[in-house]
Amino acid sequence: MWEDAYTPKLLASGKCDFYPSNLTKTEWRQKKLDFITLFPSRMMVVIPKGKQAQIKDVNDLAGKTAAIEKDTSFHTWLMAQNQAAWSTNPVKLTLLSTQESFAAVEAGTIDFTITDSDIAIWAAHHQFKNSKTAFPVGPADEIGWAFRKEDKDLQAAAQSFFEQQRKNPNSEINQIWKRHFGRSLTEFITLMALVK
C-alpha cells in the first residue's frame, strides 16, 4: 500500500482539496501527493525525566519500549531501525495516538516516544511536567501541506501565501506561532537550521 502510487480517496473524490495538516514529506507520500513546505523539522525523542541517565543518545533507544502513532514517519523510522541497526535488540512498539503516547511517557510506563520538533516544543511549554525532549533522531525532514499532484495552481497559491507570511514578523501566522510555541514561525525555521 505504501509503495503504490494513487490519489488518496478524500482528494480523489473531491471531498477535500488538500490536507492542511503538518504532514512529513516522505518518499512514500510523494508517490501519492505533492507538498508545499511550511518548515524544516527533525524527529525529537521525548523521554520521562527519570530516564535521562539511561537514554542519552540514539544508540540508547535499542531494546527500549516506545509508544508511537501508527503509519506516521516516526513509526516508519522506528520500524526501519528495528530491521537494521537494532535488529538484534529491537524497540518494543506500542501503537497509540500521539496524545496517548505523550501520556504514557508522562506516566513513565514506556521509555520514549518520537514527535516532530514543533510538537515537542509546544508540549514542553504546555503539557509536559514529567517528560523532556531528549535529542533529535533521523534525518532533517520537511513538514507541509499535501495536495493532488495535478493541482499546481492551488499549490502555488498556498506556497506564496506562506512565503509572504514568513517574511512579515507581524503576520498572522507568525503571531499564532508566537502564542502557541513561544517563537514565530520564522524564528522556529532559524532554530531548526541550527539543530544537528
Side-chain angles (χ1 to χ4, degrees), residues 37-175:
T37 300
L38 302 180
F39 54 88
S41 188
R42 289 292 304 272
M43 293 185 289
M44 301 299 279
V45 173
V46 178
I47 62 171
K49 287 181 179 173
K51 303 269 183 184
Q52 290 173 263
Q54 300 130 339
I55 303 176
K56 296 178 185 169
D57 65 34
V58 68
N59 299 318
D60 295 333
L61 300 178
K64 300 290 191 289
T65 59
I68 207 78
E69 191 156 347
K70 185 179 184 339
D71 295 336
T72 58
S73 55
F74 325 121
H75 182 213
T76 303
W77 184 82
L78 282 170
M79 290 191 318
Q81 300 313 302
N82 275 350
Q83 293 172 354
W86 304 331
S87 62
T88 59
N89 193 18
V91 168
K92 294 153 200 75
L93 297 175
T94 300
L95 301 177
L96 299 173
S97 72
T98 298
Q99 287 306 315
E100 290 168 324
S101 296
F102 284 165
V105 172
E106 278 285 296
T109 58
I110 53 103
D111 294 316
F112 72 96
T113 190
I114 298 176
T115 191
D116 284 320
S117 51
D118 62 312
I119 301 303
I121 289 171
W122 179 88
H125 278 88
H126 301 287
Q127 189 172 357
F128 295 157
K129 305 268 187 285
N130 303 312
S131 306
K132 70 173 286 259
T133 302
F135 48 84
V137 294
D141 52 28
E142 296 177 348
I143 305 296
W145 287 5
F147 297 79
R148 280 184 290 258
K149 288 190 168 287
E150 61 270 16
D151 290 345
K152 301 298 184 197
D153 289 348
L154 185 55
Q155 293 169 38
Q159 188 69 56
S160 176
F161 169 77
F162 280 106
E163 286 171 4
Q164 293 303 316
Q165 290 286 303
R166 284 193 298 261
K167 287 178 187 174
N168 178 356
N170 297 314
S171 72
E172 189 171 343
I173 296 286
N174 273 326
Q175 294 309 305

